[in-house]
């Protein structure tokens, strides 16, 4: 029989069981726990609920990015739990990424009770407001006592709503829970709940429709035939974006994360390569730009838009401000799909076939030029790796791409992409990429698709703790590592030619000399070194067919990578020179 609610251990256990019960009622399905003593009551409560998939990870930093991947893939937060002290600090990078990328995450840090703070107690840091403004909401209710039992369900339920339905968009929420000893106890009867398994609170949702003022504004700005649609992450349903392109006669400059890189005449996959040519960039200058969702990664595209002089409209679902160059004439915070549909119904201006035809011819010429350059190379280049991997993945698959060069190679050279593409482009860091991929794979476990990760060697080494226990997590995960023994992106920057070679290598090239295959083997994970386009394609197909965790290492050379990018730029420019 449960102990009465006047026993300290019982109170704490009942408090944690109540929180978890509300999270289950809210539909949460995953919990990520980094082991520790002070978080024991909550870890036990989570483990007691079979409705939750429980993922235990040794490393807090990797665990946090794993939770980030689950939230990004599922649209619902994973409960992320750690103990007190520096363990809570290790979560910060993933919390920042979740904040800036609008990914739901429910962060729960265990803490010492107030009487053990600021007195030199071990494993104690200041955890109140630890993540600053990088959270949508935070709460520190203090150690649980029976008198506050009536507030427990509200606390847990509100935390879920704030992480998914905040006016600023989805993002992380932080609960800092102080626990007194004893940390192990049996829960008593839980406080009363809503009938029918309902959560204590329900969110109100967001405005999705374009109001009359917004419609008039858009009609005024979008009445010209020479426009472009820039579709980024969060652009809305691809079919709706493409329907708008058909209604306007405008091309869609599609970031891979928008999932609009489909077989459609309006879709432009090689905008970066096209706009690197000065004559083409001038000939294709628009009068108006409709930007849906987040900005693409391409710096060339961003600079071209900023210098275009076009009137620009930004449409994004949440309150994040996507206007780094401060050129937007209007910023509408509505659902891009709803806005695109509304615009498709009211657009009345005549289309300009010459405008859409010029873009289509430029896209065809650029795509063919990229194919020729890559086919003429005997060695397997980094652009070819991105193009081959993207071409081998299907509609049900997800590709997680690291920042730095991989995300750019996918944007520039990936071409048509059926798979869902994800990248940590909130803070654009390279840490936690592999763990994010593991989280995406866990969220999709049991579904028809597979998860792949395209990552560089330095980013892979940043997150080697993601390999801890990975072989036993029961996921299908293909990891393609481009190994150029250092920081390849720096070879494209002025530092590469402005500094003596030795100094550049020491400060920027940073060769590491790590045997990645041996590192994988230490974790019981198969790693195959691949060279040659045919070998990579066959290895990707085999990995997807066999399932489990597979790592493919593709050795490249940094200087040669710069040269192949230059060759592609020159080939595209030559191909565009013959167009009107």
């Amino acid at each position: 029989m449960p102990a009465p609610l006047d026993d300290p251990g019982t109170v704490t256990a009942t408090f944690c069981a109540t929180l978890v019960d509300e999270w289950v009622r809210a539909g949460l399905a995953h919990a990520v726990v980094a082991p520790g003593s002070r978080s024991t009551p909550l870890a036990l409560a989570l483990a007691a609920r079979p409705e939750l998939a429980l993922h235990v990870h040794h490393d807090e930093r990797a665990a946090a990015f794993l939770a980030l991947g689950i939230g990004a893939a599922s649209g619902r937060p994973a409960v992320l739990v750690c103990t007190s002290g520096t363990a809570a600090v290790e979560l910060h990078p993933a919390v920042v990424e979740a904040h800036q990328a609008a990914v739901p995450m429910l962060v729960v840090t265990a803490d010492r009770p107030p009487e053990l703070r600021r007195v030199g107690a071990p494993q104690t840091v200041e955890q109140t407001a630890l993540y600053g403004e990088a959270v949508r909401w935070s709460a520190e209710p203090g150690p649980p006592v029976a008198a506050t039992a009536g507030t427990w369900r509200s606390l847990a339920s509100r935390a879920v709503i704030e992480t998914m339905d905040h006016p600023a968009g989805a993002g992380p929420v932080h609960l800092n829970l102080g626990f007194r000893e004893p940390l192990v106890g049996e829960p008593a009867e839980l406080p009363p709940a809503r009938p029918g398994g309902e959560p204590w609170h329900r969110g109100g949702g967001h405005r999705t429709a374009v109001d009359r003022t917004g419609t008039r504004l858009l009609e005024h700005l979008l009445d010209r035939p020479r426009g472009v649609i820039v579709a980024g992450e969060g652009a809305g349903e691809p079919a709706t974006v493409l329907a708008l392109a058909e209604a306007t006669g405008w091309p869609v400059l599609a970031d891979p994360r928008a999932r609009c890189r489909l077989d459609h005449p309006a879709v432009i996959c090689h905008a970066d390569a096209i706009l690197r040519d000065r004559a083409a960039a001038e000939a294709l200058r628009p009068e108006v730009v409709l930007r849906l969702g987040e900005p693409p990664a391409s710096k060339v595209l961003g600079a071209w838009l900023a210098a275009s002089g076009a009137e620009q409209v930004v449409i994004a679902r949440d309150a994040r401000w996507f206007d780094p160059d401060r050129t937007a004439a209007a910023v509408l915070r509505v659902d891009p799909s709803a806005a695109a549909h509304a615009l498709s119904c009211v657009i009345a201006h005549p289309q300009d076939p010459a405008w859409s035809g010029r873009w289509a011819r430029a896209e065809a010429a650029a795509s063919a030029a990229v194919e020729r350059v890559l086919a003429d190379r005997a060695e397997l280049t980094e652009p070819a790796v991105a193009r081959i991997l993207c071409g081998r993945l299907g509609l049900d698959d997800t590709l997680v791409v690291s920042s730095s060069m991989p995300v750019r190679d996918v944007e520039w050279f990936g071409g048509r992409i059926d798979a869902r593409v994800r990248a940590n482009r909130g803070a654009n860091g390279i840490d936690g990429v592999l763990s994010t991929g593991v989280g995406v794979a866990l969220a999709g476990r049991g579904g028809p698709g597979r998860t792949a990760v395209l990552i560089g060697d330095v980013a892979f080494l940043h997150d080697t703790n993601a390999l801890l226990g990975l072989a036993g997590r029961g996921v299908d995960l293909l990891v393609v590592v481009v190994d150029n023994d250092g920081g390849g992106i720096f070879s494209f920057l002025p530092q590469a030619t402005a500094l003596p070679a030795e100094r550049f290598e020491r400060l920027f090239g940073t060769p590491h000399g790590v045997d990645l295959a041996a590192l994988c083997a230490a974790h019981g994970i198969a790693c195959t070194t691949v060279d040659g386009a045919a070998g990579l394609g066959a290895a990707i197909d085999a990995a997807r067919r066999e399932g489990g965790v597979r790592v493919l290492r593709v050795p490249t050379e940094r200087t040669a990578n710069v040269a192949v990018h230059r060759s592609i730029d020159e080939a595209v420019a030559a191909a565009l020179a013959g167009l009107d």
Side-chain angles (χ1 to χ4, degrees):
M1 184 174 181
L5 203 56
D6 56 3
D7 175 77
T10 299
V11 171
T12 299
T14 307
F15 168 72
C16 291
T18 304
L19 300 187
V20 174
D21 186 62
E22 275 299 318
W23 294 334
V24 170
R25 286 167 173 263
L28 303 196
H30 294 269
V32 182
V33 174
S37 176
R38 189 60 55 169
S39 54
T40 294
L42 190 54
L44 292 173
L46 291 166
R49 296 299 296 256
E51 303 96 326
L52 291 171
L54 184 64
H55 314 290
V56 179
H57 205 297
H58 297 84
D59 178 68
E60 287 84 8
R61 186 185 184 96
F65 278 100
L66 189 152
L68 178 86
I70 292 172
S74 68
R76 304 190 74 81
V79 182
L80 173 63
V81 176
C82 76
T83 191
S84 62
T86 56
V89 180
E90 293 292 336
L91 309 183
H92 205 161
V95 171
V96 168
E97 176 61 30
H99 161 58
Q100 296 191 193
V103 174
M105 178 188 290
L106 180 46
V107 181
V108 187
T109 55
D111 202 353
R112 305 283 169 161
E115 63 270 17
L116 292 181
R117 301 180 192 176
R118 303 182 184 90
V119 292
Q123 202 171 320
T124 304
V125 301
E126 183 52 68
Q127 294 178 207
T128 302
L130 178 61
Y131 308 117
E133 296 183 357
V135 293
R136 298 294 184 266
W137 181 69
S138 63
E140 185 170 3
V145 293
T148 62
T151 69
W152 296 347
R153 288 192 178 276
S154 176
L155 172 70
S157 188
R158 180 181 175 183
V160 175
I161 291 173
E162 298 286 9
T163 192
M164 296 179 61
D165 203 27
H166 192 275
V173 157
H174 178 209
L175 301 182
N176 191 52
L177 306 182
F179 293 132
R180 292 189 175 99
E181 296 183 351
L183 300 174
V184 177
E186 290 294 327
E189 182 178 354
L190 304 188
R194 300 288 186 201
E198 292 293 309
W200 195 258
H201 300 301
R202 288 197 173 276
H206 294 286
R207 182 165 65 97
T208 59
V210 183
D211 60 22
R212 183 173 299 178
T213 300
T215 300
R216 285 199 300 265
L217 174 62
L218 291 170
E219 288 175 346
H220 168 70
L221 292 173
L222 305 181
D223 62 355
R224 286 155 247 184
R226 291 170 57 94
V228 297
I229 300 169
V230 180
E233 169 75 20
E237 291 297 325
T240 309
V241 176
L242 298 179
L244 179 61
E246 293 170 2
T248 58
W250 296 351
V252 178
L253 281 53
D255 182 282
R257 297 172 297 152
R259 207 164 192 185
C260 291
R261 287 199 171 184
L262 306 175
D263 188 10
H264 189 283
V267 173
I268 307 299
C269 301
H270 297 85
D272 185 275
I274 293 167
L275 297 175
R276 286 177 185 271
D277 180 72
R278 185 174 300 177
E282 180 60 34
L284 297 171
R285 187 185 297 270
E287 298 172 298
V288 63
V289 176
L290 179 62
R291 289 155 43 191
L292 302 177
E294 301 179 20
S298 170
K299 187 176 181 179
V300 170
L301 174 57
W304 178 75
L305 291 172
S308 68
E311 290 194 83
Q312 301 192 39
V313 179
V314 177
I315 300 179
R317 183 181 180 90
D318 56 52
R320 289 177 294 165
W321 191 266
F322 296 123
D323 189 32
D325 296 303
R326 296 170 174 82
T327 53
V331 177
L332 300 183
R333 291 178 172 132
V334 295
D335 177 32
S337 289
H341 176 72
L343 290 171
S344 298
C345 297
V346 301
I347 291 293
H349 68 70
Q351 296 185 6
D352 182 357
W355 173 249
S356 55
R358 185 176 297 157
W359 274 101
R361 289 190 296 276
E363 169 68 13
S367 180
V370 172
E371 290 282 1
R372 284 195 302 272
V373 172
L374 298 183
D376 289 343
R377 295 271 173 165
E379 76 277 14
L380 188 54
T381 64
E382 295 183 23
V385 172
R387 202 171 186 90
I388 292 168
L389 179 57
C390 289
R392 295 278 175 164
L393 300 178
L395 283 169
D396 294 324
D397 297 329
T398 301
L399 174 61
V400 178
V401 189
S402 176
S403 288
S404 197
M405 285 308 297
V407 72
R408 290 170 171 82
D409 283 338
V410 168
E411 181 177 7
W412 300 346
F413 310 117
R416 308 284 177 184
I417 306 172
D418 290 333
R420 177 76 167 90
V421 178
R422 298 190 180 278
N424 290 344
R425 297 298 293 175
N428 297 355
I430 65 168
D431 49 346
V433 176
L434 187 55
S435 294
T436 302
V438 175
V440 170
L442 286 168
R445 187 168 55 184
R450 299 290 184 266
T451 302
V453 176
L454 178 60
I455 190 169
D457 51 330
V458 173
F460 186 86
L461 292 173
H462 259 276
D463 197 24
T464 55
N465 275 358
L467 301 174
L468 288 167
L470 177 56
R473 294 198 185 277
V475 295
D476 292 325
L477 182 67
L478 168 63
V479 182
V480 179
V481 185
V482 176
D483 185 4
N484 54 35
D485 194 27
I489 194 170
F490 296 111
S491 296
F492 290 86
L493 301 181
Q495 295 93 313
T497 53
L499 297 174
E502 182 180 355
R503 182 168 297 176
F504 173 80
E505 281 295 284
R506 182 182 183 190
L507 296 177
F508 299 99
T510 58
H512 51 77
V514 175
D515 184 340
L516 299 186
L519 177 62
C520 291
H523 290 275
I525 295 171
C527 177
T528 303
T529 297
V530 180
D531 54 7
L536 178 59
I540 292 171
D541 290 344
R544 295 182 68 240
R545 184 172 58 251
E546 295 166 5
V549 180
R550 298 284 187 276
V551 176
L552 303 181
R553 171 183 170 267
V554 183
T556 63
E557 201 276 323
R558 283 180 267 131
T559 303
N561 186 45
V562 174
V564 73
H565 278 76
R566 186 178 299 116
S567 296
I568 291 173
D569 291 344
E570 293 170 352
V572 171
L576 295 174
L579 303 179
D580 58 5

